[in-house]
Amino acid sequence: MANAGGTEFQDRGLPLTALAVAAGRAVESSRPDPLVVDPFAAELVRAANSHVEMPTQWPANPEDAPPLQQPLLLASIYIGLRTRFIDDFLRDAATVQTVILGAGLDTRAFRLQWPADSRIFEIDSSNVLAFKDSVLAGLSAASGAKRATLDADLSQPWRNSLIAAGFDPGLPTTWILEGLLPYLDAAGQDAVLDEVAALSAPGSRAVIERAVPLPKTDDLDAQLQEFSLKTGLPMSDLLARADPPDPVSILESAGWRCAQHTVQDLCTAYGRVISLAGTTAPATKATADDGGAEPPRSAEGQSRGGFVTAWL
């Protein structure tokens, strides 16, 4: 995801996080038992020519992979679970409109089957969307739906731009918030969720990857200081993300019905363990975009917040 107000290293103007997610989908696609098959992911990573070497193949012996690649391989397991979960949500009772907030290098418009009258709106920064479009055009990829891309910073107002691009607030909409909320501060998350509620007609639905609520303790402050030093991300940004709003509370107060899903729920449903050696490990102990630092964790030690599915 890009253009959410955070500081990120970039290759060709691309957020390293977006490339890491595409690499994770490529790794998942290469497994003998893939949860997701993305035929475009590896080519997106290759075309970016990143200064960070990212694996795009699941190795025969993942435990023997170079130490710097092992965190990315772990992350690919989580990305595979997350991608499949959202794919399955999209396949169930699709709406005419789908909005992908912070679309990054997502390729669902091209790799999933869509009803003939479907419209997909992808929102992100123009450089990310233009890079993706150029690579996919070179692969002769065709979208199965009418697709519109929208350059917008989701930490700023974006409603009018979405409507100007052809979005109809009077029609049921499916909203995808994947890898977005953790990169917005608490106020930004609140604003995005409020807009989703305000722009949704009856029959709308949403799938949301939650941000992790962090306890306000001396221990957390020390973790944040260390994380800030290793990543260069200002402490003020980190603290602003420490107490995110609850998507369930916001949507239920607007009349939505919600269900919550933990990462372990996904592991159980899809028969995966987030581990390279048979021992459960954190979903993202260290990824390329955080410079190898251990992300701050919730009181339960989780570095991922799980998911919310919602219906209006």
Side-chain angles (χ1 to χ4, degrees), residues 90-114:
L90 287 171
R91 292 185 182 106
D92 180 27
T95 58
V96 172
Q97 295 182 141
T98 297
V99 179
I100 307 176
L101 297 174
L105 300 180
D106 180 273
T107 62
R108 289 187 174 94
F110 300 87
R111 63 178 180 80
L112 298 183
Q113 292 187 340
W114 297 88

Side-chain angles (χ1 to χ4, degrees), residues 119 121 146 148-150 159-168:
R119 300 200 65 187
F121 299 87
K146 185 175 181 181
T149 59
L150 176 61
R159 177 194 295 205
N160 291 341
S161 297
L162 179 60
I163 293 173
F167 174 82
D168 185 349

Side-chain angles (χ1 to χ4, degrees), residues 131-242:
F131 167 78
K132 177 169 64 175
D133 284 355
S134 68
V135 174
L136 293 177
L139 298 173
S140 300
S143 173
K146 185 175 181 181
R147 175 174 169 264
T149 59
L150 176 61
D151 175 24
D153 183 342
L154 291 165
S155 66
Q156 303 296 323
W158 46 271
R159 177 194 295 205
N160 291 341
S161 297
L162 179 60
I163 293 173
F167 174 82
D168 185 349
L171 295 177
T173 302
T174 297
W175 300 89
I176 304 175
L177 284 72
E178 176 186 24
L180 169 65
L181 296 185
Y183 292 94
L184 295 170
D185 63 21
Q189 293 182 42
D190 201 26
V192 165
L193 292 167
D194 283 344
E195 284 289 70
V196 167
L199 289 168
S200 295
S204 294
R205 60 198 191 127
V207 57
I208 301 165
E209 183 180 13
R210 312 180 64 129
V212 178
L214 302 173
K216 296 179 179 179
T217 64
D218 291 343
D219 181 61
L220 174 65
D221 187 67
Q223 288 185 54
L224 291 174
Q225 292 281 4
E226 179 182 6
F227 194 66
S228 181
L229 288 172
K230 290 182 177 179
T231 63
L233 191 62
M235 271 288 292
S236 58
D237 285 356
L238 293 170
L239 289 171
R241 301 175 190 180

